[in-house]
Short mmCIF file of all heavy atoms in Angstrom, two decimals:
data_model
loop_
_atom_site.label_atom_id
_atom_site.label_comp_id
_atom_site.label_asym_id
_atom_site.label_seq_id
_atom_site.Cartn_x
_atom_site.Cartn_y
_atom_site.Cartn_z
N LEU P 188 -25.51 -6.16 -8.97
CA LEU P 188 -25.75 -5.16 -10.02
C LEU P 188 -26.69 -5.69 -11.09
O LEU P 188 -27.54 -4.95 -11.60
CB LEU P 188 -24.41 -4.75 -10.65
CG LEU P 188 -23.57 -3.72 -9.90
CD1 LEU P 188 -22.25 -3.50 -10.63
CD2 LEU P 188 -24.32 -2.41 -9.75
N LEU P 189 -26.51 -6.96 -11.42
CA LEU P 189 -27.38 -7.56 -12.44
C LEU P 189 -28.84 -7.51 -11.98
O LEU P 189 -29.74 -7.24 -12.78
CB LEU P 189 -26.95 -9.00 -12.72
CG LEU P 189 -27.69 -9.71 -13.86
CD1 LEU P 189 -27.46 -9.00 -15.18
CD2 LEU P 189 -27.24 -11.17 -13.95
N THR P 190 -29.06 -7.78 -10.70
CA THR P 190 -30.41 -7.69 -10.15
C THR P 190 -30.93 -6.26 -10.24
O THR P 190 -32.09 -6.02 -10.60
CB THR P 190 -30.43 -8.16 -8.69
OG1 THR P 190 -29.91 -9.50 -8.61
CG2 THR P 190 -31.83 -8.13 -8.12
N ALA P 191 -30.05 -5.29 -9.91
CA ALA P 191 -30.44 -3.87 -10.00
C ALA P 191 -30.78 -3.47 -11.43
O ALA P 191 -31.62 -2.60 -11.66
CB ALA P 191 -29.32 -3.00 -9.45
N PHE P 192 -30.10 -4.13 -12.41
CA PHE P 192 -30.36 -3.84 -13.83
C PHE P 192 -31.54 -4.66 -14.37
O PHE P 192 -31.80 -4.65 -15.56
CB PHE P 192 -29.13 -4.16 -14.67
CG PHE P 192 -27.98 -3.20 -14.47
CD1 PHE P 192 -26.72 -3.52 -14.95
CD2 PHE P 192 -28.14 -2.00 -13.81
CE1 PHE P 192 -25.65 -2.65 -14.78
CE2 PHE P 192 -27.08 -1.12 -13.64
CZ PHE P 192 -25.84 -1.45 -14.11
N HIS P 193 -32.25 -5.38 -13.46
CA HIS P 193 -33.39 -6.21 -13.84
C HIS P 193 -32.97 -7.24 -14.92
O HIS P 193 -33.70 -7.47 -15.87
CB HIS P 193 -34.55 -5.36 -14.35
CG HIS P 193 -35.04 -4.36 -13.33
ND1 HIS P 193 -35.73 -4.72 -12.21
CD2 HIS P 193 -34.89 -3.00 -13.27
CE1 HIS P 193 -36.01 -3.64 -11.49
NE2 HIS P 193 -35.51 -2.58 -12.11
N TYR P 194 -31.80 -7.83 -14.71
CA TYR P 194 -31.26 -8.89 -15.58
C TYR P 194 -31.18 -8.44 -17.04
O TYR P 194 -31.40 -9.22 -17.96
CB TYR P 194 -32.08 -10.17 -15.44
CG TYR P 194 -31.90 -10.80 -14.08
CD1 TYR P 194 -32.73 -10.45 -13.01
CD2 TYR P 194 -30.88 -11.71 -13.85
CE1 TYR P 194 -32.54 -11.00 -11.74
CE2 TYR P 194 -30.68 -12.26 -12.59
CZ TYR P 194 -31.51 -11.91 -11.55
OH TYR P 194 -31.31 -12.45 -10.31
N ASN P 195 -30.80 -7.18 -17.22
CA ASN P 195 -30.52 -6.66 -18.56
C ASN P 195 -29.05 -6.94 -18.87
O ASN P 195 -28.16 -6.13 -18.57
CB ASN P 195 -30.82 -5.16 -18.62
CG ASN P 195 -30.73 -4.61 -20.03
OD1 ASN P 195 -29.94 -5.09 -20.86
ND2 ASN P 195 -31.54 -3.59 -20.32
N TYR P 196 -28.76 -8.12 -19.46
CA TYR P 196 -27.38 -8.56 -19.70
C TYR P 196 -26.67 -7.64 -20.69
O TYR P 196 -25.46 -7.41 -20.58
CB TYR P 196 -27.37 -10.00 -20.23
CG TYR P 196 -27.90 -10.99 -19.23
CD1 TYR P 196 -29.22 -11.44 -19.29
CD2 TYR P 196 -27.10 -11.48 -18.22
CE1 TYR P 196 -29.71 -12.34 -18.37
CE2 TYR P 196 -27.58 -12.38 -17.29
CZ TYR P 196 -28.89 -12.82 -17.37
OH TYR P 196 -29.37 -13.71 -16.44
N SER P 197 -27.40 -7.12 -21.65
CA SER P 197 -26.80 -6.23 -22.64
C SER P 197 -26.28 -4.95 -21.98
O SER P 197 -25.16 -4.51 -22.26
CB SER P 197 -27.83 -5.88 -23.71
OG SER P 197 -27.28 -4.98 -24.66
N LEU P 198 -27.07 -4.38 -21.08
CA LEU P 198 -26.65 -3.18 -20.37
C LEU P 198 -25.44 -3.47 -19.49
O LEU P 198 -24.51 -2.66 -19.40
CB LEU P 198 -27.80 -2.64 -19.53
CG LEU P 198 -27.51 -1.41 -18.66
CD1 LEU P 198 -27.06 -0.24 -19.52
CD2 LEU P 198 -28.73 -1.04 -17.82
N PHE P 199 -25.45 -4.64 -18.86
CA PHE P 199 -24.34 -5.00 -17.99
C PHE P 199 -23.05 -5.13 -18.79
O PHE P 199 -21.98 -4.73 -18.33
CB PHE P 199 -24.65 -6.33 -17.27
CG PHE P 199 -23.77 -6.56 -16.08
CD1 PHE P 199 -24.17 -6.16 -14.82
CD2 PHE P 199 -22.53 -7.16 -16.21
CE1 PHE P 199 -23.36 -6.35 -13.71
CE2 PHE P 199 -21.71 -7.37 -15.12
CZ PHE P 199 -22.13 -6.96 -13.86
N ALA P 200 -23.12 -5.71 -19.99
CA ALA P 200 -21.94 -5.82 -20.84
C ALA P 200 -21.41 -4.44 -21.22
O ALA P 200 -20.19 -4.25 -21.33
CB ALA P 200 -22.27 -6.63 -22.09
N LEU P 201 -22.31 -3.47 -21.40
CA LEU P 201 -21.87 -2.10 -21.71
C LEU P 201 -21.13 -1.49 -20.52
O LEU P 201 -20.18 -0.71 -20.71
CB LEU P 201 -23.07 -1.24 -22.08
CG LEU P 201 -23.66 -1.45 -23.48
CD1 LEU P 201 -24.87 -0.53 -23.68
CD2 LEU P 201 -22.62 -1.21 -24.56
N VAL P 202 -21.56 -1.81 -19.30
CA VAL P 202 -20.85 -1.34 -18.11
C VAL P 202 -19.43 -1.91 -18.10
O VAL P 202 -18.46 -1.20 -17.78
CB VAL P 202 -21.60 -1.74 -16.83
CG1 VAL P 202 -20.77 -1.45 -15.58
CG2 VAL P 202 -22.94 -1.02 -16.75
N ASN P 203 -19.29 -3.18 -18.49
CA ASN P 203 -17.96 -3.78 -18.59
C ASN P 203 -17.11 -3.08 -19.64
O ASN P 203 -15.93 -2.82 -19.44
CB ASN P 203 -18.08 -5.27 -18.94
CG ASN P 203 -18.34 -6.12 -17.72
OD1 ASN P 203 -19.42 -6.06 -17.14
ND2 ASN P 203 -17.36 -6.89 -17.30
N ALA P 204 -17.73 -2.80 -20.77
CA ALA P 204 -17.02 -2.09 -21.83
C ALA P 204 -16.53 -0.74 -21.32
O ALA P 204 -15.39 -0.33 -21.58
CB ALA P 204 -17.93 -1.91 -23.05
N ALA P 205 -17.39 -0.06 -20.57
CA ALA P 205 -17.03 1.26 -20.03
C ALA P 205 -15.82 1.18 -19.11
O ALA P 205 -14.97 2.09 -19.10
CB ALA P 205 -18.22 1.87 -19.29
N SER P 206 -15.71 0.09 -18.34
CA SER P 206 -14.57 -0.03 -17.41
C SER P 206 -13.25 -0.05 -18.18
O SER P 206 -12.26 0.56 -17.74
CB SER P 206 -14.72 -1.30 -16.56
OG SER P 206 -14.51 -2.47 -17.31
N PHE P 207 -13.21 -0.74 -19.32
CA PHE P 207 -11.98 -0.79 -20.11
C PHE P 207 -11.71 0.55 -20.81
O PHE P 207 -10.55 0.96 -20.93
CB PHE P 207 -12.06 -1.92 -21.14
CG PHE P 207 -11.97 -3.29 -20.52
CD1 PHE P 207 -13.09 -4.09 -20.38
CD2 PHE P 207 -10.76 -3.78 -20.06
CE1 PHE P 207 -13.02 -5.34 -19.79
CE2 PHE P 207 -10.67 -5.03 -19.47
CZ PHE P 207 -11.80 -5.80 -19.33
N PHE P 208 -12.74 1.22 -21.24
CA PHE P 208 -12.55 2.53 -21.88
C PHE P 208 -12.08 3.57 -20.86
O PHE P 208 -11.28 4.44 -21.18
CB PHE P 208 -13.84 2.98 -22.57
CG PHE P 208 -14.20 2.17 -23.79
CD1 PHE P 208 -15.51 1.77 -24.03
CD2 PHE P 208 -13.22 1.79 -24.70
CE1 PHE P 208 -15.84 1.03 -25.15
CE2 PHE P 208 -13.54 1.04 -25.84
CZ PHE P 208 -14.84 0.66 -26.06
N VAL P 209 -12.58 3.49 -19.62
CA VAL P 209 -12.12 4.39 -18.56
C VAL P 209 -10.65 4.12 -18.25
O VAL P 209 -9.85 5.06 -18.08
CB VAL P 209 -12.98 4.22 -17.28
CG1 VAL P 209 -12.35 4.96 -16.10
CG2 VAL P 209 -14.39 4.74 -17.53
N ALA P 210 -10.27 2.84 -18.19
CA ALA P 210 -8.86 2.48 -17.97
C ALA P 210 -7.99 3.03 -19.09
O ALA P 210 -6.89 3.55 -18.85
CB ALA P 210 -8.71 0.96 -17.86
N PHE P 211 -8.48 2.92 -20.33
CA PHE P 211 -7.74 3.47 -21.48
C PHE P 211 -7.57 4.98 -21.33
O PHE P 211 -6.47 5.52 -21.55
CB PHE P 211 -8.48 3.16 -22.78
CG PHE P 211 -8.00 3.98 -23.95
CD1 PHE P 211 -6.84 3.65 -24.63
CD2 PHE P 211 -8.70 5.12 -24.35
CE1 PHE P 211 -6.38 4.41 -25.69
CE2 PHE P 211 -8.26 5.89 -25.41
CZ PHE P 211 -7.10 5.54 -26.08
N ALA P 212 -8.64 5.68 -20.97
CA ALA P 212 -8.59 7.14 -20.84
C ALA P 212 -7.57 7.55 -19.78
O ALA P 212 -6.82 8.52 -19.97
CB ALA P 212 -9.97 7.68 -20.50
N LEU P 213 -7.53 6.81 -18.68
CA LEU P 213 -6.58 7.11 -17.61
C LEU P 213 -5.15 6.92 -18.07
O LEU P 213 -4.28 7.78 -17.85
CB LEU P 213 -6.89 6.22 -16.40
CG LEU P 213 -6.08 6.46 -15.12
CD1 LEU P 213 -6.26 7.89 -14.63
CD2 LEU P 213 -6.49 5.47 -14.04
N LEU P 214 -4.88 5.81 -18.74
CA LEU P 214 -3.53 5.54 -19.24
C LEU P 214 -3.14 6.52 -20.34
O LEU P 214 -1.99 6.95 -20.43
CB LEU P 214 -3.45 4.10 -19.77
CG LEU P 214 -3.54 2.98 -18.72
CD1 LEU P 214 -3.58 1.62 -19.41
CD2 LEU P 214 -2.38 3.05 -17.75
N PHE P 215 -4.10 6.86 -21.19
CA PHE P 215 -3.82 7.79 -22.29
C PHE P 215 -3.47 9.18 -21.76
O PHE P 215 -2.60 9.88 -22.30
CB PHE P 215 -5.03 7.87 -23.23
CG PHE P 215 -4.80 8.71 -24.45
CD1 PHE P 215 -4.11 8.20 -25.54
CD2 PHE P 215 -5.28 10.02 -24.50
CE1 PHE P 215 -3.90 8.98 -26.67
CE2 PHE P 215 -5.08 10.80 -25.62
CZ PHE P 215 -4.37 10.28 -26.71
N HIS P 216 -4.15 9.59 -20.69
CA HIS P 216 -3.95 10.92 -20.12
C HIS P 216 -2.52 11.12 -19.61
O HIS P 216 -1.98 12.23 -19.67
CB HIS P 216 -4.94 11.15 -18.98
CG HIS P 216 -4.82 12.48 -18.31
ND1 HIS P 216 -5.12 13.67 -18.94
CD2 HIS P 216 -4.41 12.80 -17.03
CE1 HIS P 216 -4.90 14.68 -18.12
NE2 HIS P 216 -4.48 14.18 -16.95
N VAL P 217 -1.89 10.05 -19.11
CA VAL P 217 -0.54 10.17 -18.53
C VAL P 217 0.52 9.51 -19.41
O VAL P 217 1.61 9.21 -18.95
CB VAL P 217 -0.50 9.56 -17.11
CG1 VAL P 217 -1.42 10.31 -16.17
CG2 VAL P 217 -0.88 8.07 -17.15
N ARG P 218 0.21 9.28 -20.69
CA ARG P 218 1.12 8.53 -21.56
C ARG P 218 2.50 9.16 -21.67
O ARG P 218 3.50 8.44 -21.82
CB ARG P 218 0.49 8.37 -22.95
CG ARG P 218 0.32 9.66 -23.72
CD ARG P 218 -0.56 9.46 -24.95
NE ARG P 218 -0.68 10.67 -25.75
CZ ARG P 218 -1.43 11.71 -25.44
NH1 ARG P 218 -2.15 11.68 -24.32
NH2 ARG P 218 -1.48 12.77 -26.22
N GLN P 219 2.58 10.50 -21.58
CA GLN P 219 3.87 11.17 -21.71
C GLN P 219 4.83 10.79 -20.58
O GLN P 219 6.04 10.79 -20.77
CB GLN P 219 3.68 12.69 -21.74
CG GLN P 219 2.88 13.21 -22.94
CD GLN P 219 3.54 12.84 -24.26
OE1 GLN P 219 4.77 12.76 -24.36
NE2 GLN P 219 2.73 12.59 -25.28
N HIS P 220 4.28 10.46 -19.42
CA HIS P 220 5.13 10.08 -18.28
C HIS P 220 5.79 8.72 -18.50
O HIS P 220 6.79 8.40 -17.83
CB HIS P 220 4.28 10.02 -17.00
CG HIS P 220 3.74 11.33 -16.56
ND1 HIS P 220 4.48 12.24 -15.83
CD2 HIS P 220 2.53 11.91 -16.75
CE1 HIS P 220 3.74 13.31 -15.59
NE2 HIS P 220 2.55 13.14 -16.13
N PHE P 221 5.25 7.92 -19.42
CA PHE P 221 5.76 6.57 -19.64
C PHE P 221 6.51 6.42 -20.97
O PHE P 221 7.07 5.37 -21.24
CB PHE P 221 4.60 5.57 -19.60
CG PHE P 221 3.96 5.41 -18.24
CD1 PHE P 221 3.01 6.30 -17.79
CD2 PHE P 221 4.33 4.36 -17.41
CE1 PHE P 221 2.42 6.17 -16.54
CE2 PHE P 221 3.74 4.21 -16.16
CZ PHE P 221 2.79 5.12 -15.73
N SER P 222 6.49 7.47 -21.79
CA SER P 222 7.04 7.35 -23.15
C SER P 222 8.55 7.17 -23.18
O SER P 222 9.10 6.64 -24.16
CB SER P 222 6.66 8.59 -23.98
OG SER P 222 7.18 9.77 -23.38
N THR P 223 9.25 7.59 -22.14
CA THR P 223 10.72 7.50 -22.13
C THR P 223 11.24 6.26 -21.40
O THR P 223 12.45 6.08 -21.30
CB THR P 223 11.32 8.75 -21.47
OG1 THR P 223 10.80 8.89 -20.14
CG2 THR P 223 10.97 10.00 -22.28
N LEU P 224 10.35 5.44 -20.89
CA LEU P 224 10.78 4.24 -20.17
C LEU P 224 11.44 3.25 -21.13
O LEU P 224 11.11 3.20 -22.31
CB LEU P 224 9.59 3.57 -19.48
CG LEU P 224 8.86 4.36 -18.40
CD1 LEU P 224 7.69 3.55 -17.87
CD2 LEU P 224 9.80 4.73 -17.27
N ALA P 225 12.32 2.44 -20.58
CA ALA P 225 12.97 1.41 -21.40
C ALA P 225 11.95 0.43 -21.96
O ALA P 225 12.10 -0.07 -23.08
CB ALA P 225 14.02 0.67 -20.57
N SER P 226 10.90 0.14 -21.21
CA SER P 226 9.86 -0.80 -21.65
C SER P 226 9.02 -0.23 -22.78
O SER P 226 8.24 -0.97 -23.40
CB SER P 226 8.96 -1.18 -20.48
OG SER P 226 8.43 -0.03 -19.85
N SER P 227 9.14 1.06 -23.05
CA SER P 227 8.42 1.68 -24.17
C SER P 227 9.31 1.79 -25.41
O SER P 227 8.87 2.32 -26.44
CB SER P 227 7.92 3.08 -23.77
OG SER P 227 7.00 3.00 -22.71
N GLN P 228 10.54 1.31 -25.32
CA GLN P 228 11.49 1.41 -26.43
C GLN P 228 12.30 0.12 -26.53
O GLN P 228 13.52 0.13 -26.48
CB GLN P 228 12.42 2.61 -26.23
CG GLN P 228 11.69 3.92 -26.01
CD GLN P 228 12.62 5.02 -25.55
OE1 GLN P 228 13.64 5.29 -26.18
NE2 GLN P 228 12.28 5.68 -24.46
N VAL P 229 11.60 -0.99 -26.67
CA VAL P 229 12.25 -2.30 -26.71
C VAL P 229 12.61 -2.66 -28.15
O VAL P 229 11.80 -2.49 -29.06
CB VAL P 229 11.34 -3.39 -26.11
CG1 VAL P 229 12.03 -4.74 -26.12
CG2 VAL P 229 10.91 -3.00 -24.70
N THR P 230 13.82 -3.14 -28.33
CA THR P 230 14.25 -3.59 -29.65
C THR P 230 14.04 -5.09 -29.77
O THR P 230 14.63 -5.87 -29.01
CB THR P 230 15.74 -3.27 -29.89
OG1 THR P 230 15.94 -1.85 -29.75
CG2 THR P 230 16.18 -3.71 -31.28
N ILE P 231 13.17 -5.48 -30.68
CA ILE P 231 12.83 -6.89 -30.88
C ILE P 231 13.12 -7.26 -32.33
O ILE P 231 12.74 -6.54 -33.25
CB ILE P 231 11.34 -7.17 -30.59
CG1 ILE P 231 10.99 -6.76 -29.15
CG2 ILE P 231 11.00 -8.63 -30.83
CD1 ILE P 231 11.61 -7.61 -28.09
N GLN P 232 13.82 -8.38 -32.50
CA GLN P 232 14.06 -8.88 -33.86
C GLN P 232 12.85 -9.70 -34.30
O GLN P 232 12.58 -10.78 -33.78
CB GLN P 232 15.32 -9.74 -33.91
CG GLN P 232 15.68 -10.20 -35.32
CD GLN P 232 16.98 -10.99 -35.35
OE1 GLN P 232 17.64 -11.14 -34.33
NE2 GLN P 232 17.34 -11.49 -36.52
N LYS P 233 12.09 -9.14 -35.24
CA LYS P 233 10.85 -9.77 -35.68
C LYS P 233 11.12 -10.86 -36.71
O LYS P 233 12.04 -10.77 -37.52
CB LYS P 233 9.90 -8.72 -36.28
CG LYS P 233 9.33 -7.76 -35.25
CD LYS P 233 8.31 -8.45 -34.36
CE LYS P 233 7.64 -7.46 -33.42
NZ LYS P 233 6.64 -8.12 -32.56
N THR P 234 10.27 -11.91 -36.66
CA THR P 234 10.31 -12.96 -37.67
C THR P 234 9.07 -12.84 -38.54
O THR P 234 8.02 -12.40 -38.08
CB THR P 234 10.35 -14.35 -37.03
OG1 THR P 234 9.24 -14.48 -36.13
CG2 THR P 234 11.64 -14.55 -36.26
N THR P 235 9.20 -13.18 -39.82
CA THR P 235 8.08 -13.07 -40.75
C THR P 235 7.61 -14.46 -41.18
O THR P 235 8.42 -15.38 -41.31
CB THR P 235 8.48 -12.26 -42.00
OG1 THR P 235 9.63 -12.88 -42.61
CG2 THR P 235 8.82 -10.83 -41.62
N GLY P 236 6.31 -14.60 -41.39
CA GLY P 236 5.75 -15.87 -41.81
C GLY P 236 5.21 -16.66 -40.64
O GLY P 236 5.80 -16.67 -39.55
N LEU P 237 4.07 -17.33 -40.85
CA LEU P 237 3.41 -18.07 -39.78
C LEU P 237 4.30 -19.20 -39.25
O LEU P 237 4.48 -19.36 -38.04
CB LEU P 237 2.08 -18.65 -40.29
CG LEU P 237 1.29 -19.49 -39.29
CD1 LEU P 237 0.91 -18.67 -38.06
CD2 LEU P 237 0.03 -20.07 -39.96
N LEU P 238 4.87 -20.00 -40.18
CA LEU P 238 5.70 -21.13 -39.76
C LEU P 238 6.92 -20.66 -39.00
O LEU P 238 7.31 -21.26 -37.97
CB LEU P 238 6.12 -21.94 -40.99
CG LEU P 238 6.96 -23.21 -40.71
CD1 LEU P 238 6.18 -24.17 -39.81
CD2 LEU P 238 7.35 -23.90 -42.02
N ALA P 239 7.53 -19.57 -39.46
CA ALA P 239 8.71 -19.04 -38.80
C ALA P 239 8.38 -18.56 -37.38
O ALA P 239 9.16 -18.78 -36.44
CB ALA P 239 9.31 -17.89 -39.62
N ASN P 240 7.20 -17.93 -37.22
CA ASN P 240 6.81 -17.45 -35.90
C ASN P 240 6.50 -18.60 -34.95
O ASN P 240 6.84 -18.55 -33.77
CB ASN P 240 5.58 -16.54 -36.02
CG ASN P 240 5.95 -15.10 -36.35
OD1 ASN P 240 6.43 -14.37 -35.50
ND2 ASN P 240 5.74 -14.70 -37.59
N ILE P 241 5.84 -19.65 -35.47
CA ILE P 241 5.55 -20.82 -34.64
C ILE P 241 6.85 -21.50 -34.20
O ILE P 241 7.01 -21.87 -33.03
CB ILE P 241 4.66 -21.82 -35.41
CG1 ILE P 241 3.27 -21.21 -35.63
CG2 ILE P 241 4.53 -23.13 -34.64
CD1 ILE P 241 2.36 -22.05 -36.51
#
Side-chain angles (χ1 to χ4, degrees):
L188 279 176
L189 185 63
T190 303
F192 289 166
H193 301 289
Y194 292 89
N195 188 329
Y196 296 98
S197 178
L198 177 59
F199 197 93
L201 285 179
V202 171
N203 277 70
S206 71
F207 289 104
F208 291 137
V209 169
F211 165 80
L213 184 59
L214 291 174
F215 185 80
H216 180 67
V217 297
R218 66 192 183 283
Q219 296 301 328
H220 294 278
F221 292 82
S222 60
T223 58
L224 297 178
S226 54
S227 297
Q228 306 169 53
V229 181
T230 302
I231 302 291
Q232 185 177 357
K233 290 289 185 179
T234 55
T235 56
L237 178 60
L238 183 59
N240 276 286
I241 293 174

